[in-house]
Amino acid sequence: MVNMKLVLLGPPGSGKGTQAKLIVKDFNIPQISTGDLLRAAIKKSTELGLKAKKFMNTGKLVPDDIVLQLLKERLNQDDCIRGFILDGYPRNLSQAQDLKMITNIDFVINIEVNYGLLIERITGRRTCKQCGAIYHIKYSPSKKEGICDKCSGRLFQREDDVEETVKKRIATYEHETKPLIEFYQQQGILERLTSDGTIDEMYQKFSSLLRMKFQLQE
Ligand code: AMP
């Protein structure tokens, strides 16, 4: 049985979360999104969540120790035994070092995107409150406006998906996260994919790459 420990890198709006959800279905490993873990902690008003909120709402990174604590708890759960996809972690070099101390990553995929597309993609994003499905008002709208096709839950715009915060998040990515491309390239475990097609076309590229890397049949 395959054991895959993956990291997806890419700026906000590169489609990491969407592709990760497709990998989950196809390869049966969980998606671990530190953004989702943080949003869940905020919703539950935990101590960590309350600390994280002010950073997230201004497009800054949440302090490393808070994210690491949430991540460690999540990686200890049983469903991670055959691997996982990290979506949104690590976000800077010190998190990459932290990660190295707790597990070995097999493969990192960096999604490259034309910057003009990012703002439009993120500000048009809508998420289902109930099941987490992701839509886009222009590129992948739900059949009924504001309602999830899968579970009829309500769609909402994330607080940090408004244009001003998105611009800050992209700047944070440029300064802090981009150096990770070189970090993983030097270790020989990085592959680059350009995000230039539809969600399905992108997924074809992802799945072929993963099957080749892990020597799985199509
Ligand atoms: P995301 O859902 O990945 O776009 O993350 C949304 C926000 O959560 C980011 O803008 C950060 O404020 C915070 N966040 C998510 N993952 C991390 C991380 N690994 N380190 C620090 N902050 C994070």
Side-chain angles (χ1 to χ4, degrees):
M1 206 176 257
V2 62
N3 191 321
M4 275 187 193
K5 292 180 182 170
L6 307 177
V7 166
L8 296 190
L9 287 182
S14 57
K16 292 190 302 290
T18 304
Q19 294 299 323
K21 285 191 169 62
L22 296 170
I23 297 173
V24 166
K25 268 205 228 150
D26 208 2
F27 294 91
N28 213 8
I29 49 175
Q31 168 193 15
I32 299 177
S33 151
T34 44
D36 286 348
L37 293 177
L38 288 161
R39 281 183 286 276
I42 290 174
K43 208 167 165 191
K44 281 195 263 168
S45 297
T46 65
E47 204 186 322
L48 291 183
L50 293 175
K51 281 188 196 158
K53 193 171 178 176
K54 59 177 188 291
F55 296 96
M56 287 178 82
N57 285 347
T58 51
K60 293 193 185 119
L61 291 185
V62 172
D64 295 343
D65 55 334
I66 296 182
V67 189
L68 183 62
Q69 198 171 325
L70 287 171
L71 180 74
K72 274 185 180 165
E73 282 167 18
R74 181 63 187 89
L75 289 181
N76 274 333
Q77 290 174 16
D78 291 348
D79 61 338
C80 294
I81 207 120
R82 290 180 41 243
F84 46 78
I85 312 158
L86 283 181
D87 157 17
Y89 193 96
R91 283 283 231 277
N92 58 29
L93 281 170
S94 104
Q95 291 185 3
Q97 304 287 5
D98 288 342
L99 182 61
K100 230 177 163 173
M101 303 297 282
I102 52 178
T103 189
N104 280 324
I105 295 299
D106 299 308
F107 199 39
V108 180
I109 303 179
N110 181 52
I111 310 181
E112 303 188 335
V113 196
N114 166 342
Y115 268 60
L117 272 180
L118 291 180
I119 304 231
E120 191 193 15
R121 277 198 184 168
I122 309 183
T123 53
R125 174 160 65 187
R126 299 291 180 271
T127 310
C128 174
K129 247 194 168 87
Q130 206 159 283
C131 73
I134 299 171
Y135 297 87
H136 189 282
I137 51 174
K138 181 167 161 195
Y139 298 115
S140 54
S142 58
K143 292 198 184 90
K144 208 166 152 196
E145 198 185 322
I147 304 290
C148 178
D149 293 346
K150 294 181 184 132
C151 75
S152 300
R154 291 224 158 262
L155 305 185
F156 73 106
Q157 182 177 35
R158 272 170 42 181
E159 257 180 79
D160 60 346
D161 276 352
V162 294
E163 188 161 340
E164 194 193 338
T165 314
V166 169
K167 286 187 174 153
K168 287 194 193 132
R169 286 164 61 202
I170 293 174
T172 305
Y173 167 82
E174 284 286 324
H175 289 126
E176 311 213 26
T177 312
K178 230 175 166 182
L180 292 179
I181 298 174
E182 195 167 329
F183 176 84
Y184 285 119
Q185 191 153 25
Q186 277 170 4
Q187 293 174 37
I189 55 171
L190 181 100
E191 195 68 45
R192 292 160 191 260
L193 282 184
T194 307
S195 172
D196 52 5
T198 63
I199 293 172
D200 287 346
E201 284 163 359
M202 269 311 284
Y203 188 64
Q204 285 308 315
K205 294 197 214 173
F206 262 90
S207 108
S208 308
L209 187 61
L210 289 175
R211 285 178 205 284
M212 200 169 70
K213 167 78 187 170
F214 291 93
Q215 298 176 342
L216 301 168
Q217 285 180 343
E218 287 285 339

